[in-house]
Amino acid sequence: TFVFASDINIWKNSTLNKILERGELRVGLDPGYMPFEMKDKKGRIIGYDVDMASKMAKEMGVKLTIIPTSFDGIIGGLLSEKFDIIISGMTITQQRNLKVNFADPYVVIGQTILVDKDVAKNIKSYKDLDNEKYIISTRTGVTGEIVARKFFKKAKIITFETEADCVSEVLNGKAHAFIYDQPYNVLFMSDKGKDRLVHLDTPLTYEPLGFAIRKGDPDFLNWLNNFMRQIKEDKLLDFHQKLYEKWLVD
Ligand code: ARG
């Protein structure tokens, strides 16, 4: 058999090869987005993405290191090689996809809205929120912000650095509504939002979530897509379904 020198170099430079050589998978994530990544009472980072990352490392036969990183700087962190991959509930957007590559999606979500209970009495659809008298909070640099600015031109949009700060603003009466990924809002309603907020739960957007890696790395992308298909389709392994039930269905 004949192997081209350029093919060997592609593999040598592949992030996957580097992970195997160092015996460690480094994952960048922002632990503020339940149920994908969050801190438990002891401060440990847990969630859907963390389980996914553990499974990935196990299949690679390497150890896992989580590198907590603010979402605003997470693509920058990947590009400057602070970690190998972003597994952080990241929506595959066409703009992000110009900078990074995405593996095939693992979940599809959409943006939904949590509204102050009293305000909700006057709201029939999300369109009624687009009024000068309303203040809508969302996180800086996420798809929620993009959607807020696109759908709500008249309302005032305010942004914060964490999901928790955004939604607190509504609980404290300083904002009227919060826009964010549906799974977060569902969990918030089952806990702190109960009796205080109303969930407008029809998704406004179509958002596949995917793992992001640096461009120009076909070997790593190939491994990830085959990994993803296996955990989704392998009924005997039953990994993805169990993960889904553990974190996304109550
Ligand atoms: N899906 C949204 C986005 O991609 C929010 C993701 C935020 N992730 C996080 N781990 N805090 O913009």
Side-chain angles (χ1 to χ4, degrees), residues 28-34 36-38 49 69-72 74 86-93 96 102 109-111 139-146 161-163 180-182 184 207-210:
L29 56 74
D30 179 331
Y33 176 13
M34 58 181 182
F36 290 97
E37 39 270 324
M38 60 235 187
D49 284 338
T69 307
S70 170
F71 206 74
D72 300 335
I74 210 164
I86 299 170
I87 305 183
S88 195
M90 184 176 271
T91 302
I92 301 174
T93 70
R96 288 173 181 160
F102 287 100
I109 59 98
Q111 295 301 308
R139 187 174 176 181
T140 321
V142 297
T143 46
E145 185 185 5
I146 298 170
E161 292 301 320
T162 70
E163 288 84 353
Y180 199 58
D181 296 31
Q182 184 181 38
Y184 182 96
E207 301 192 27
L209 306 184

Side-chain angles (χ1 to χ4, degrees), residues 49-110:
D49 284 338
V50 179
D51 286 356
M52 190 72 100
S54 306
K55 177 75 177 161
M56 201 181 274
K58 195 176 164 212
E59 294 295 338
M60 289 173 176
V62 299
K63 79 168 222 213
L64 172 67
T65 303
I66 300 279
I67 304 185
T69 307
S70 170
F71 206 74
D72 300 335
I74 210 164
I75 287 186
L78 176 73
L79 299 182
S80 59
E81 305 198 21
K82 294 209 168 63
F83 34 83
D84 305 309
I85 186 169
I86 299 170
I87 305 183
S88 195
M90 184 176 271
T91 302
I92 301 174
T93 70
Q94 280 53 66
Q95 287 63 40
R96 288 173 181 160
N97 207 176
L98 299 173
K99 296 185 203 140
V100 298
N101 278 8
F102 287 100
D104 295 341
Y106 57 109
V107 187
V108 176
I109 59 98

